[in-house]
Amino acid sequence: MRLLNYIIRRLLLLIPVLLGVSIIVFTLTRITGNPAAAYINEKMSQSQIDQVFERYHFDEPIWTQFIYWLQGVIQGDWGWSRTASLPVTDAILKYFPATFELTILSIIIAVVIGILLGMSSAVRRNKPFDHVTRVVSLIGVSLPIFWLALILQFVFYYQLKWFPAGGRYDISFIISGVPRFTGFLLIDSLMVGNFNLFFNGIYHLILPAVTLSFGTIAIVTRIMRNSMLEVLNLDYIRTARAKGLSDRSVIWKHARKNAMIPTTTVIGLAFGGLLGGAVLTESIFYWPGLGRWSANSIRVLDSTSVIGFCLLVAFIYVIVNLAVDVMYAYLDPRVRLG
C-alpha cells in the first residue's frame, strides 16, 4: 500500500514537471521562430492563412496562445509536424518504435558488459586487467559519439563490408512488403513469421547499438567498480569470507546486490536519455527514430514538433526516475518509500 501511494504521488508530480517544461519550450519556440510556418505553404490563399491564424490564435499574445495550446494538448491535439507531415502525436507513434528497439539493445549491451567489467575490475584491483579496464572506460567517456559512429561505419561498412551503413532493414524488403502492425520491426516480423526480416533488423541494429552503448558501458563500468570496491571493504563481506564462503558466493550473492544500488541510478538515467532519442547516432546511421526526427525539426524550426518531443522526453525521464526509486526498495530493504 505504501508503494502504491508513493507511485501515485510521483505520478502527480509529473504534472508540474511537464507544465514547467512546456512553458519554457513554448516560450523559446515562439521567440525564435514563426509557429504558423508549420501550417502554411505557398499554395495557400490569404483566406486560408487567416483561418490558420484564427484557429491556432497566432495573432494573440503569447500567454493566450499557450493556454489554447495547452487545452489542445490535454485533448490530444499536439499540433502539426511539418517535418513528418503528420500530427505530432502520430509522428511520435511512428518514430518511437525504432528508437525503442535501438535503446533496448543498447542498454542491454551496456548493462551486461558494464556490470561484468566493473565487478571484474574491482575484484582484480590494481592488476593489469583493472588498469586496462580503467583506461578503456576513460576513453569511452571521452570519445565523441559522432566520431565513434563514423569510425565504426567506415571500418565495418566501407572497409570490411560486415555491417550495413545504416537504415532499419535492406531495401529489398520494401518490395516484398514490411509488416506494420505495431511499428516494432522485430515484433511485427515475428508475428508474420518473416525470420529473414527479423534477423536483418537485428543485423542493422548492431552498429548503431554498439555506438550508442559505448559511452554508457564506460560510465556503468566506472560506477560499478567504485561501488564494488566500497562494498568489498565492508564488515559483512569480511564476515562472509571468515565463515569460509567461496569468493564466487561472496561476490555474486552478497556484494553484487548492494553494489548495484548506485549503479541503478546511472542505468536508469542512461536509459531515459537513450529513449529520448539519440540524435547523432540516429542521424549518422539513417535511423528513422525520434532523435533524427527531432534534429530535422530543429533544423527547419518546426516548433510544434520540438515542443512535442521535449514533452515526451520529460515524461520519459519522470517515469524512469520513478522506476529507479522503486528498484531501490527492492535492492536495499532499508530504503523506505515514504
Side-chain angles (χ1 to χ4, degrees):
M1 189 55 132
R2 180 178 298 177
L3 176 60
L4 179 61
N5 292 335
Y6 175 80
I7 293 175
I8 293 174
R9 288 199 304 270
R10 288 298 299 268
L11 290 176
L12 290 176
L13 287 176
L14 181 64
I15 297 174
V17 171
L18 292 180
L19 184 61
V21 171
S22 63
I23 290 174
I24 295 173
V25 179
F26 185 88
T27 304
L28 291 176
T29 54
R30 288 304 188 266
I31 293 174
T32 56
N34 183 7
Y39 303 87
I40 297 175
N41 56 58
E42 298 177 352
K43 298 180 180 180
M44 296 178 65
S45 63
Q46 185 60 45
S47 61
Q48 291 174 321
I49 294 175
D50 293 338
Q51 290 177 3
V52 170
F53 272 79
E54 181 179 357
R55 177 180 177 183
Y56 293 101
H57 309 275
F58 292 138
D59 53 352
E60 298 185 26
I62 187 172
W63 54 85
T64 306
Q65 294 182 40
F66 176 76
I67 293 175
Y68 282 110
W69 172 83
L70 188 60
Q71 291 176 353
V73 169
I74 295 174
Q75 296 171 1
D77 180 10
W78 287 32
W80 180 262
S81 172
R82 181 178 57 180
T83 309
S85 298
L86 290 169
V88 172
T89 50
D90 291 345
I92 291 175
L93 292 176
K94 176 182 178 181
Y95 295 116
F96 179 79
T99 296
F100 186 79
E101 288 181 342
L102 178 59
T103 299
I104 289 296
L105 182 57
S106 300
I107 205 67
I108 290 175
I109 294 173
V111 169
V112 173
I113 296 179
I115 290 176
L116 290 178
L117 284 180
M119 291 176 59
S120 301
S121 182
V123 172
R124 299 171 176 82
R125 184 180 183 181
N126 293 329
K127 293 183 179 180
F129 181 87
D130 181 32
H131 295 313
V132 172
T133 302
R134 290 162 65 185
V135 170
V136 172
S137 63
L138 182 61
I139 294 174
V141 174
S142 307
L143 277 181
I145 192 169
F146 69 89
W147 182 86
L148 177 63
L150 292 172
I151 292 298
L152 291 179
Q153 193 178 64
F154 176 77
V155 173
F156 291 100
Y157 171 69
Y158 292 103
Q159 297 295 320
L160 300 177
K161 305 294 183 182
W162 287 0
F163 296 100
R168 207 173 174 192
Y169 46 79
D170 289 343
I171 299 178
S172 58
F173 287 100
I174 299 178
I175 301 175
S176 59
V178 178
R180 302 186 185 278
F181 300 110
T182 64
F184 296 92
L185 179 67
L186 301 183
I187 296 177
D188 291 344
S189 59
L190 289 177
M191 289 177 63
V192 299
N194 192 339
F195 296 103
N196 289 332
L197 178 59
F198 175 80
F199 289 112
N200 188 261
I202 294 179
Y203 182 57
H204 280 74
L205 269 170
I206 292 176
L207 272 189
V210 170
T211 302
L212 202 56
S213 64
F214 195 75
T216 307
I217 290 174
I219 296 174
V220 172
T221 299
R222 290 166 65 89
I223 298 298
M224 189 66 188
R225 176 185 180 274
N226 294 337
S227 180
M228 196 73 178
L229 287 175
E230 293 180 4
V231 172
L232 289 176
N233 289 325
L234 296 179
D235 292 337
Y236 80 95
I237 296 296
R238 298 192 185 96
T239 302
R241 283 174 169 164
K243 289 181 178 180
L245 295 179
S246 64
D247 286 342
R248 181 180 179 83
S249 178
V250 170
I251 293 170
W252 284 94
K253 292 185 178 181
H254 297 276
R256 179 182 58 85
K257 188 174 181 179
N258 282 341
M260 281 294 299
I261 295 176
T263 310
T264 302
T265 302
V266 176
I267 295 173
L269 293 177
F271 180 75
L274 297 178
L275 194 57
V279 177
L280 294 175
T281 302
E282 291 188 1
S283 298
I284 292 173
F285 288 102
Y286 324 116
W287 195 258
L290 291 171
R292 192 179 179 193
W293 170 61
S294 64
N296 293 334
S297 300
I298 294 172
R299 186 171 61 249
V300 300
L301 297 179
D302 185 358
S303 60
T304 52
S305 298
V306 173
I307 296 174
F309 175 75
C310 291
L311 285 179
L312 176 66
V313 172
F315 178 81
I316 289 173
Y317 265 105
V318 172
I319 297 301
V320 168
N321 282 330
L322 172 61
V324 168
D325 290 341
V326 173
M327 186 63 68
Y328 272 168
Y330 166 74
L331 292 174
D332 189 355
R334 295 172 299 178
V335 176
R336 293 293 177 262
L337 302 176

